[in-house]
Amino acid sequence: MNCKQCGTDVKGKFCGKCGTEVEAISSDGQSAEQETERAFEQEPVLQTEEEIVNTEVVVASENALNNDSDSAEESHAADLVSTSKGSHLFIGFSVAAVLSTVMMLGLAFVLNWLVGRGQFAEELIYHMMKSFVHIPVEQAAYFSGRLSQSLWVQLQLLQGGAFHGDYTAYNGLEITEVLAFQLHVPLVFNTIAGLLIIYIVVRVLRAPMNRLIKSRLQRLLWLMGFSSVYALIMTAVTMFLNPDLRFVFGAQHYTLEMGIVVWKHALTVFTGGLLASAVGLGGWKLFTNDIWLRWIKSIRTFMLLLVMFTILISSLMVVNWSVAGKNKLHSTEIVTLGAAWGSYKKEPALYAIIPNVLLQEFAYSVGGTWNVSGQASAEILGMKGPIRLNMWSGIEGELQYGEQAGIEQRDNSSILNEEHLAQLEQDLRFNWYHFAFILIFLYALTRIRFTSLINYIATIIGIILASTLIAVHFNVKVIYGEETATFIGFEPLQVLLSVSILVAVSLTASYVIQKLWAARRGKHAQS
């Protein structure tokens, strides 16, 4: 090394020329003092056990804080995604509910326009007002004219056809008469049209909704949300459109307030919306087994055959009415469908009630007992009293006077006698289409394919329950004042029993034949 003072090359600790002490420089160019300081800094510091523990706690806390921060950020991001999906689902079923309401109102407007082109609906309402509500003729004519042109009536028919009415008569400020009635007229055509509207709306929105719905639970929540919102909107709209009709004659005022039973209406709309939207949304994948899929296809064939043959029979009925004389279409004891068709065949409103008549004729043909259970119901059909009619056992009726039956009869005339019953039985008991309905029902049952015993049992139970529910649901129900509810249609237990016998015997025979045929084909294949 060189001396810093004189620059002489020095090999010892002191410069030989000037005597200056020379610092020792390490190989890496640092002085001995600097190297000592560095060594001291690198020397490990001895810590007590308590200090070590405290240090570990601090380090663990810092790591935990970092992890919590990361997990909080991840959780926040997941919450944002979940909230976004939830809001999208809410917007989706709300939009579907609003669109369904708008389209339902549009359809009600179109139906109201079609009904207003003829006189059938007005005269039918007039007949009902005059017959079982028993209001004066001029008032019945006024109220029927207003109701037949009401959008509210068509909207109600699309939602189940339940009506509640209050008729009040005033003489000055004094109430002289109060009548309350309920009428349930569930038209098959209007009910199917209303459900179809919901199905179409949900079906159109199906693709974007299925991209958001990732589980069956979300699918169920979407359906419940849609049905709830739709029921609330439709109930509010229906209450807003309630007609309040007033007829003034001198000092006397007469009002007819039509309305709904809110909770029943909301429940009906909710149920219909739930069923139609469930079919429209799809994606349930309840049956993935090929055996069950073949069975479902055969059930679909069974239903299509019933619909197609029913349309064929109704067409033949129209042909029969066209060629028959007027005296054969009319009955002196009841307003028949043939007579109504002869008088109103050019009016669209008539064809809305034809599916109901066909349904009741079908239920009657397979063993159901057709009931006109009270005087109020009998008067709607122009009959003199209640009856029970079965194709195999014949007709039954109450041969007594209206006052004796506990129902006010303004003209106090005899409601039924032996002659009336005999004429009704002759007009109604047997017709060619009753036997046609039995044959097509039995034939359609044979098209159901059974691949297991479970299929067989499920088919019997399903068809029996579905037939009973449909037949009973579309009964026409009437409640007049405080009287017991009356109806035109079928009793649940009687329909259940009659359909059970026919379906069980037919499907059992079909199941046995299919099994024998399958076994025979198996033997031929082996040979």
Side-chain angles (χ1 to χ4, degrees):
M1 66 183 68
N2 296 326
C3 176
K4 292 183 179 181
Q5 187 68 24
C6 62
T8 304
D9 184 21
V10 180
K11 295 184 179 181
K13 188 175 180 181
F14 298 94
C15 178
K17 184 176 182 181
C18 64
T20 305
E21 184 179 6
V22 180
E23 293 182 0
I25 304 299
S26 63
S27 60
D28 58 358
Q30 293 184 351
S31 67
E33 183 179 356
Q34 291 173 338
E35 188 173 349
T36 302
E37 291 177 359
R38 188 182 65 177
F40 178 78
E41 291 175 357
Q42 292 179 351
E43 183 178 354
V45 180
L46 297 179
Q47 292 180 320
T48 65
E49 184 177 353
E50 182 178 356
E51 290 175 338
I52 293 173
V53 172
N54 292 336
T55 302
E56 292 176 352
V57 170
V58 171
V59 173
S61 300
E62 291 177 353
N63 292 336
L65 289 174
N66 293 332
N67 293 336
D68 290 343
S69 177
D70 294 339
S71 62
E73 292 178 359
E74 294 175 359
S75 177
H76 181 64
D79 290 341
L80 289 177
V81 173
S82 177
T83 303
S84 177
K85 288 184 177 180
S87 61
H88 288 165
L89 290 176
F90 175 79
I91 294 173
F93 65 66
S94 299
V95 169
V98 172
L99 287 177
S100 298
T101 303
V102 172
M103 291 190 65
M104 196 73 73
L105 287 170
L107 179 59
F109 180 83
V110 173
L111 293 176
N112 191 51
W113 175 75
L114 291 174
V115 168
R117 298 184 64 185
Q119 298 296 318
F120 175 75
E122 182 177 351
E123 293 184 9
L124 178 61
I125 297 174
Y126 168 80
H127 169 72
M128 295 171 66
M129 288 287 176
K130 186 170 63 71
S131 60
F132 81 90
V133 182
H134 300 300
I135 63 177
V137 174
E138 65 278 2
Q139 296 177 34
Y142 173 77
F143 291 138
S144 62
R146 296 290 299 276
L147 286 175
S148 64
Q149 301 173 8
S150 172
L151 179 67
W152 179 83
V153 172
Q154 295 302 323
L155 192 62
Q156 273 299 95
L157 290 175
L158 290 172
Q159 301 175 89
F163 302 90
H164 176 84
D166 291 298
Y167 170 81
T168 307
Y170 299 88
N171 188 0
L173 298 177
E174 181 183 358
I175 298 177
T176 59
E177 187 176 13
V178 177
L179 296 174
F181 63 91
Q182 295 183 38
L183 182 64
H184 183 218
V185 190
L187 297 183
V188 175
F189 173 81
N190 295 66
T191 301
I192 293 177
L195 295 176
L196 190 61
I197 287 292
I198 301 173
Y199 168 81
I200 292 174
V201 171
V202 176
R203 187 67 179 83
V204 170
L205 299 175
R206 177 176 177 175
M209 289 300 100
N210 281 338
R211 285 196 291 268
L212 295 173
I213 298 173
K214 301 301 182 182
S215 65
R216 184 169 296 180
L217 177 60
Q218 290 181 341
R219 194 174 298 276
L220 289 173
L221 292 176
W222 193 95
L223 293 177
M224 297 295 291
F226 165 79
S227 303
S228 300
V229 174
Y230 176 67
L232 288 174
I233 296 176
M234 288 303 299
T235 302
V237 171
T238 304
M239 294 176 65
F240 176 76
L241 295 176
N242 276 359
D244 183 7
L245 309 179
R246 297 181 180 275
F247 179 82
V248 180
F249 182 76
Q252 296 179 333
H253 293 246
Y254 306 91
T255 63
L256 178 64
E257 298 180 2
M258 302 297 295
I260 58 174
V261 180
V262 176
W263 71 268
K264 289 183 178 180
H265 180 272
L267 181 61
T268 301
V269 176
F270 175 85
T271 304
L274 187 65
L275 294 175
S277 59
V279 178
L281 191 61
W284 297 102
K285 298 180 181 179
L286 298 177
F287 301 103
T288 56
N289 191 313
D290 185 59
I291 295 176
W292 284 98
L293 290 177
R294 289 201 303 268
W295 174 73
I296 292 175
K297 289 181 180 179
S298 67
I299 292 294
R300 187 184 306 168
T301 302
F302 162 77
M303 297 173 64
L304 288 176
L305 285 173
L306 287 182
V307 173
M308 291 172 57
F309 278 110
T310 300
I311 294 175
L312 176 61
I313 289 176
S314 62
S315 302
L316 295 176
M317 291 171 66
V318 171
V319 173
N320 183 42
W321 295 335
S322 302
V323 299
K326 289 186 177 181
N327 58 333
K328 294 183 178 181
L329 296 179
H330 291 267
S331 171
T332 58
E333 305 298 330
I334 189 174
V335 179
T336 63
L337 180 61
W341 183 85
S343 301
Y344 301 100
K345 58 186 175 184
K346 294 183 179 180
E347 298 196 17
L350 171 68
Y351 296 92
I353 69 171
I354 288 181
N356 283 68
V357 178
L358 293 175
L359 178 63
Q360 295 210 349
E361 295 287 6
F362 197 104
Y364 172 78
S365 301
V366 297
T369 298
W370 187 62
N371 290 266
V372 181
S373 67
Q375 189 64 30
S377 297
E379 289 174 350
I380 293 178
L381 298 176
M383 298 170 57
K384 295 181 174 62
I387 64 167
R388 290 169 54 88
L389 179 65
N390 186 276
M391 190 163 68
W392 309 114
S393 61
I395 193 169
E396 298 176 4
E398 299 178 3
L399 304 179
Q400 54 185 341
Y401 288 87
E403 292 180 351
Q404 295 173 343
I407 302 173
E408 183 181 0
Q409 186 79 5
R410 298 285 173 98
D411 58 2
N412 199 30
S413 61
S414 175
I415 58 175
L416 274 182
N417 57 37
E418 294 290 349
E419 183 180 352
H420 296 153
L421 283 179
Q423 185 63 46
L424 279 170
E425 187 171 22
Q426 179 181 347
D427 293 338
L428 303 177
R429 184 175 180 182
F430 294 117
N431 278 292
W432 65 268
Y433 46 82
H434 295 145
F435 300 100
F437 279 129
I438 294 177
L439 291 176
I440 66 170
F441 186 65
L442 294 176
Y443 173 72
L445 287 175
T446 64
R447 309 312 300 169
I448 300 177
R449 293 292 175 259
F450 303 112
T451 53
S452 67
L453 181 62
I454 298 178
N455 294 151
Y456 162 73
I457 296 174
T459 303
I460 290 180
I461 296 175
I463 292 179
I464 290 173
L465 292 180
S467 301
T468 303
L469 289 174
I470 292 173
V472 173
H473 174 75
F474 288 101
N475 286 345
V476 176
K477 301 181 183 68
V478 180
I479 300 178
Y480 178 71
E482 300 297 328
E483 299 293 335
T484 304
T486 64
F487 66 95
I488 303 172
F490 301 89
E491 296 176 346
L493 292 179
Q494 195 279 327
V495 174
L496 182 68
L497 180 61
S498 61
V499 174
S500 298
I501 295 173
L502 182 62
V503 171
V505 172
S506 302
L507 289 182
T508 300
S510 177
Y511 178 71
V512 172
I513 292 173
Q514 289 182 39
K515 284 294 182 182
L516 294 175
W517 180 254
R520 183 179 179 183
R521 290 181 62 184
K523 290 181 180 180
H524 281 293
Q526 292 177 359
S527 61

